Amino acid sequence: MSHSAAAPESKAGWEHFPHDADVGVQGSGATAAQAFEQAAHALTAIITHAEVKPQVLVQVRCEAPDFELLLVEWLNAIIYEMAVRKMLFGRFAVRIDGARLEGTLWGEPVDVERHAPACEPKGATYTALRVAKNPDGAWSAACIVDV
């Protein structure tokens, strides 16, 4: 399953890829930050295909020595916020400055009837972890999420 959230000329989008009992998430974009945002959309799409309304804003901060570890920290920060706040997020903004990421999540409390959550992600893993600038200039960010 894949999805493009931008104009056709943009390289932004996300997709899932198979991995045994878990799910791979991959985001792509013109920048690393945009690829991270798209990976977050893929994370939400593991849980629901329903619209997630941007009713509540949540700020997160992560730090890691490289982009790969930063992706895991970012996705795990989202999973943590979903669990403790009992929310889903459907809009994301990322700013990366060296080893630091500042992210904004917009979402709403889980509505079991409307969102029909398929599963609850446990955590982003180091399996199939890759963040890279591709030869075409687009960035991709991927890893396996334990569900």
Side-chain angles (χ1 to χ4, degrees), residues 18-107:
H19 181 271
D20 297 330
D22 297 324
V23 179
V25 295
Q26 179 170 319
S28 58
T31 65
Q34 193 175 48
F36 278 44
E37 291 166 359
Q38 293 299 317
H41 282 288
L43 175 65
T44 297
I46 292 171
I47 305 161
T48 186
H49 295 293
E51 176 191 6
V52 177
K53 297 175 183 170
Q55 297 173 343
V56 177
L57 179 146
V58 175
Q59 299 284 346
V60 297
R61 289 179 179 79
C62 309
E63 194 168 331
D66 61 42
F67 277 160
E68 283 83 12
L69 297 176
L70 196 57
L71 175 65
V72 171
E73 292 295 319
W74 161 242
L75 294 176
N76 283 332
I78 296 167
I79 291 168
Y80 173 81
E81 294 296 338
M82 287 190 298
V84 299
R85 296 174 185 269
K86 296 179 177 27
M87 291 180 65
L88 291 173
F89 299 99
R91 185 171 154 212
F92 307 91
V94 169
R95 191 174 138 259
I96 299 173
D97 184 11
R100 295 181 185 176
L101 179 150
E102 291 184 12
T104 305
L105 321 173
W106 289 269

Side-chain angles (χ1 to χ4, degrees), residues 114-135:
R114 188 167 56 82
H115 292 127
C119 68
E120 182 176 348
K122 297 173 193 155
T125 72
Y126 302 124
T127 305
L129 178 58
R130 182 175 182 273
V131 176
K133 189 171 186 178
N134 302 322

